[in-house]
Amino acid sequence: MPDNTLKVALIGNPNAGKTSLFNHLTGLNQKVGNFPGVTVDKKTGLCTKIKSRKVQIIDFPGTYSIYPRSLDEQVFFTEVSNTESESYPDVAIVVIDAAHLKRNLLLFTQIKDIGLPIVIGMTMLDVLKDKQENIDLDELSKSLGAPIFPINGRNGEGVNALTDFISTYEYAEPEPFLPMEEYIHDELFHRLEAAFPDQRPYRIYQMMQQTDTYTGIGPEDREIVEEIKQNSHFNGPKLQAKETIARYKLLDAILKKVEKGGRKFTEDKSFSSTLDKFLVHPIFGYAFFVAILFFMFQAIYSWASIPMDYIDAMFGALGEWAHHTIPAGPLNSLISDGIIPGIGGIVIFVPQIAILFAFIAMLEETGYMARVVFLTDRIMRVFGLNGKSIVPLISGVACAIPAIMAARNIENWKERLITILISPLMSCSARLPVYAILIALVIPDREILGFMNLQGLVLMALYMGGFILALIVALIMNQLIKSPQRPFLIMELPSFRMPRWKNVSLTIFEKSKTFIFSAGKIIFVISIVLWALASYGPSNEMDQAEALVSQNHPGLNQDQHENMVASYRLEHSYAGHLGKVIEPVIAPLGYDWKIGIALITSFAAREVFVGSISTIYSVGSNDSGDNPQSIKDRLASEINPKTGLPVFTLASGLSLLIYYAIAMQCMSTLAIVKRETNSWKWPMIQLCYLTGMAYVFSLIVYQVLS
C-alpha cells in the first residue's frame, strides 16, 4: 500500500456496529451478526465513497478495553501498540453504541490517551430514542475533544457526513483524557519518562502493564521496563483498577452534562428483558431451543424436496441428452457419465443448504444466538467448555474452518483448545449432501404421528448425535488436559432486533455460491480423474471384457450383456483395482470396493463423496434407456454380486452415515487447526481420534444391524 494512503481503523466494543459501517464504507459484504464476537480477525478494504484520496479501512475485532482478554482482542492491541506496524492507523473511527454509552466510552478514552487521533461514529441512537432518552451530541463532542457523527448501520444514514470529514482529514494529535502522572507515583513516572522521553505517558504505562505483548518495543527496551517494574514494586492489577475507576468518574461527570430532559441513561430494555425471562429460563429456554432445532431440520427436508426433485430430474435429462447428442466415444462418456453426474450430485443439495443458512442467519440477526450462549454456559461448564463455545459449535454446522477461528474469542486456553478439537464433530454443510443421499436411500419417506417426517428426524438425530458426542469427548479431554487458568464468561446480551433481510439474503447467496464453486471446482477435477480411472485399466483385462462375458454368460439379452460388460470393465479398471486394495479393511463396515473409492477421493473434502459415487455408478451402469435414472435410483438398484442383495441396506447405509458424521475427512480443517494451535501435535491427535472413533462406531452399527 503506498505511503500516501490514509489508514482508518474501526474500533469499538463487540456488537457496536463496526462491521456494518465497514460494509457501508467499502461496499464489501463482511459477515454481520447481532451477537458479540462475529469478527475475530482484522478485515481491510478500500473506501469506495471517497474519490479524492485513497483510504484504507481496517475493521478490528471488537474489544471492551485496551487490555485484551482473548486472541481476537489481542489482534487489536498488537497493532495499536506498534506505531511501526503496516496496519497502524492514521486515524481511528471509534464506533460507540449510544444505548451503552458509558461502557463504550471507556475504550474511547484509552485510545485517545494512547495518542491515536479519533472520530466517533455514534450508532444505536434510534434505540435511545425509543427509550425516550436523548444526548446533547454537541456538548458531548466538546467534552470528549472529538467530532461525533450519528450513524445508522442498518440503512447507512450518516455515513456520507463521516466520509466527507475523512476525505479532508488532517493529522492532529489528541489531548490526553486522563492525566497519568496523577495515578502513578512521582518517582516511577519520572523514571519512565527519562527512559522513554519520546513516548506518550499512557504508552509508557501500557509498556509496564502489558510488557510481554506490547509489540512496539525491542528486547533492550523490554529489559529496561522489567528492571524499572522490579525496582519500583509495580502493582499492575491495582493500578489498572485505579485507572478504570478514575476514567469512569470523569465519564460520569461528562454524561451528567449531556443528558437531555433530565432523564438518566438506563439499561432499560423492556421488550428484550421480557423475552429473556422466557428465552433464558432454565427450563423453558432449553425447550424453546430444542423446538427451534426440531422445526429447522423438519423444514430442511420438507421444504427442499420439490426443488431437489426438479434439479435431480433436470441433470438426469441433461446427461441423457448429452449421451444421445454427442458422438459416441470417450468425450461422450466423459461428459454424460463423468462431469454431469458429478456436478449434478452437488447442485441438487443447494435448496437444503439455503434453508439451513436462512435459519442460522435469522437466529444471528435477531440476537437469539447470544441468548443461546448464555443459556448453554451452565451445561458447557460441566464438559470443560465455555458458553462461548456454542458459537463455534453452531458455526461448525456451516463449516469447521470459520468455527475453529471463532474459538479465538474464548479467553481460557484450555476451553479454547477443547472447542477446537471437538468442532469437526458438528455436522458441516459438506456432510449434508452425504446425509441427504444416504437417508433417501435407506430411510423410508413416511410421516410419524401425522406431522413428523421420519427422514427429517434421522437428519436431526445425526446433527444432535454429533453435538452429544462432542460433549462426551470434551468431558474426557477436560480430564486429560490440565490448565491453571480459571474459567469465566463475560457476555453482553444485545437487544432483540428484526432481521435485516438483506443480510439474510446475502448470507444465503454467499453460502450457496461458496458451496457450489468451492466444492464444484474440486468435484469437477475429481470427476474427470475418476472417470478416467474408472474407464481405463490394464489393456489385457479391459480388452477381453466382451469375450469373457459372452463366454461365461451366453444366455443374456443385449441390455443384460451390455450391463455385464460395463460392470466387468469398472471392476477391472484402475479405480476398481484401487478400491479392491482397501476393500478388506472396509468390508467389516459393510462397504464394497466402489464405496472405498469414494472414501479415498473424499478424504480431501467430504462433499466429494456424492460426486464421486455418482460418477462411479454412472460409469458402471449402462443407463441409456428412454427413462434415465436419477442418482438415487442408480444407487438404490446397485446389487452386491456376492450376496445378491442391495449394496445400500439399512445396516450399510447407517454405518456409512455414522462414518461421515464422525470421521475427519477434511484436509483444510487440519491445516486451520495447525495454524490456530501453532503445532502439528493437536491436528494429528484430532485426525487419529476422529478417524479411529468413526471406524469403531461404524463397525458396531453394521455388525449389530446386519
Side-chain angles (χ1 to χ4, degrees), residues 492-511:
E492 176 192 350
L493 295 183
S495 300
F496 280 108
R497 301 176 202 161
M498 282 296 291
R500 282 170 283 199
W501 298 112
K502 180 184 175 184
N503 285 345
V504 174
S505 303
L506 279 173
T507 299
I508 296 171
F509 175 74
E510 290 293 334
K511 295 297 182 184

Side-chain angles (χ1 to χ4, degrees), residues 570-626:
L570 178 61
E571 188 172 357
H572 292 82
S573 65
Y574 293 119
H577 285 284
L578 191 63
K580 295 275 185 182
V581 169
I582 68 166
E583 191 172 28
V585 178
I586 60 175
L589 310 183
Y591 313 155
D592 65 1
W593 55 272
K594 292 182 182 178
I595 297 175
I597 296 171
L599 288 178
I600 293 172
T601 55
S602 64
F603 178 72
R606 298 179 182 92
E607 58 269 41
V608 172
F609 172 83
V610 177
S612 297
I613 214 159
S614 301
T615 302
I616 292 165
Y617 285 108
S618 294
V619 173
S621 72
N622 186 35
D623 183 23
S624 57
D626 294 333

Side-chain angles (χ1 to χ4, degrees), residues 367-554:
Y368 179 69
M369 199 69 85
R371 272 74 186 174
V372 175
V373 171
F374 178 79
L375 185 70
T376 55
D377 185 61
R378 278 168 286 189
I379 291 180
M380 290 297 189
R381 295 219 170 277
V382 176
F383 298 94
L385 298 170
N386 186 299
K388 288 184 178 179
S389 299
I390 199 70
V391 175
L393 294 180
I394 291 179
S395 300
V397 173
C399 178
I401 293 172
I404 288 166
M405 292 182 67
R408 288 181 183 180
N409 71 354
I410 299 173
E411 294 84 356
N412 185 285
W413 170 82
K414 178 180 172 181
E415 293 172 343
R416 177 172 173 265
L417 179 62
I418 294 176
T419 303
I420 288 173
L421 293 176
I422 65 171
S423 287
L425 282 168
M426 299 303 293
S427 290
C428 63
S429 59
R431 288 178 170 116
L432 186 55
V434 183
Y435 291 168
I437 193 70
L438 293 175
I439 288 174
L441 275 172
V442 300
I443 305 297
D445 182 13
R446 67 167 184 241
E447 290 189 345
I448 297 177
L449 302 177
F451 68 97
M452 291 187 290
N453 181 280
L454 180 60
Q455 293 181 336
L457 283 177
V458 173
L459 180 67
M460 181 176 173
L462 285 167
Y463 277 79
M464 294 301 294
F467 180 67
I468 292 169
L469 189 58
L471 292 181
I472 295 171
V473 173
L475 187 63
I476 296 169
M477 289 182 175
N478 186 38
Q479 301 301 317
L480 298 177
I481 302 173
K482 304 299 179 186
S483 170
Q485 283 183 284
R486 294 180 61 188
F488 62 91
L489 173 68
I490 299 176
M491 178 94 189
E492 176 192 350
L493 295 183
S495 300
F496 280 108
R497 301 176 202 161
M498 282 296 291
R500 282 170 283 199
W501 298 112
K502 180 184 175 184
N503 285 345
V504 174
S505 303
L506 279 173
T507 299
I508 296 171
F509 175 74
E510 290 293 334
K511 295 297 182 184
S512 300
K513 187 180 77 172
T514 301
F515 177 75
I516 291 175
F517 287 99
S518 63
K521 283 187 288 189
I522 301 171
I523 290 164
F524 182 79
V525 172
I526 290 182
S527 294
I528 294 174
V529 172
L530 263 182
W531 168 84
L533 290 173
S535 300
Y536 299 95
S539 57
N540 60 327
E541 297 180 33
M542 301 297 277
D543 293 344
Q544 60 184 355
E546 289 271 356
L548 281 176
V549 170
S550 299
Q551 179 185 334
N552 297 331
H553 305 280

Side-chain angles (χ1 to χ4, degrees), residues 166-312:
I166 295 293
S167 65
T168 58
Y169 169 78
E170 292 184 5
Y171 177 79
E173 186 169 349
E175 293 293 325
F177 182 83
L178 183 70
M180 290 307 300
E181 58 270 23
E182 295 181 11
Y183 299 93
I184 307 178
H185 61 80
D186 293 344
E187 182 187 354
L188 173 57
F189 190 76
H190 291 317
R191 290 187 66 187
L192 292 169
E193 280 192 316
F196 304 99
D198 299 329
Q199 296 282 357
R200 288 174 68 97
Y202 194 61
R203 279 195 176 275
I204 300 171
Y205 172 72
Q206 285 302 319
M207 290 179 199
M208 306 279 285
Q209 283 284 6
Q210 307 190 61
T211 311
D212 293 337
T213 54
Y214 195 97
T215 57
I217 55 175
E220 292 182 1
D221 288 340
R222 210 177 299 276
E223 288 180 8
I224 293 173
V225 171
E226 289 290 359
E227 183 183 349
I228 294 175
K229 284 168 64 176
Q230 289 175 7
N231 294 335
S232 61
H233 306 291
F234 182 79
N235 189 331
K238 185 178 178 180
L239 278 175
Q240 185 182 337
K242 191 176 176 183
E243 173 204 342
T244 304
I245 292 170
R247 290 183 187 279
Y248 274 131
K249 278 185 179 176
L250 290 176
L251 287 173
D252 281 337
I254 292 173
L255 293 179
K256 195 172 182 180
K257 286 194 298 180
V258 301
E259 295 167 1
K260 281 187 175 179
R263 292 179 62 88
K264 290 183 178 298
F265 296 113
T266 65
E267 297 295 319
D268 178 29
K269 296 179 287 185
S270 54
F271 177 69
S272 295
S273 298
T274 303
L275 276 181
D276 283 340
K277 289 177 182 174
F278 172 74
L279 294 178
V280 299
H281 188 275
I283 297 174
F284 300 128
Y286 289 114
F288 183 76
F289 183 46
V290 171
I292 288 273
L293 294 178
F294 174 79
F295 180 72
M296 184 170 76
F297 289 111
Q298 287 291 309
I300 287 173
Y301 254 92
S302 301
W303 298 355
S305 60
I306 295 176
M308 288 180 72
D309 289 343
Y310 177 77
I311 294 171
D312 198 15

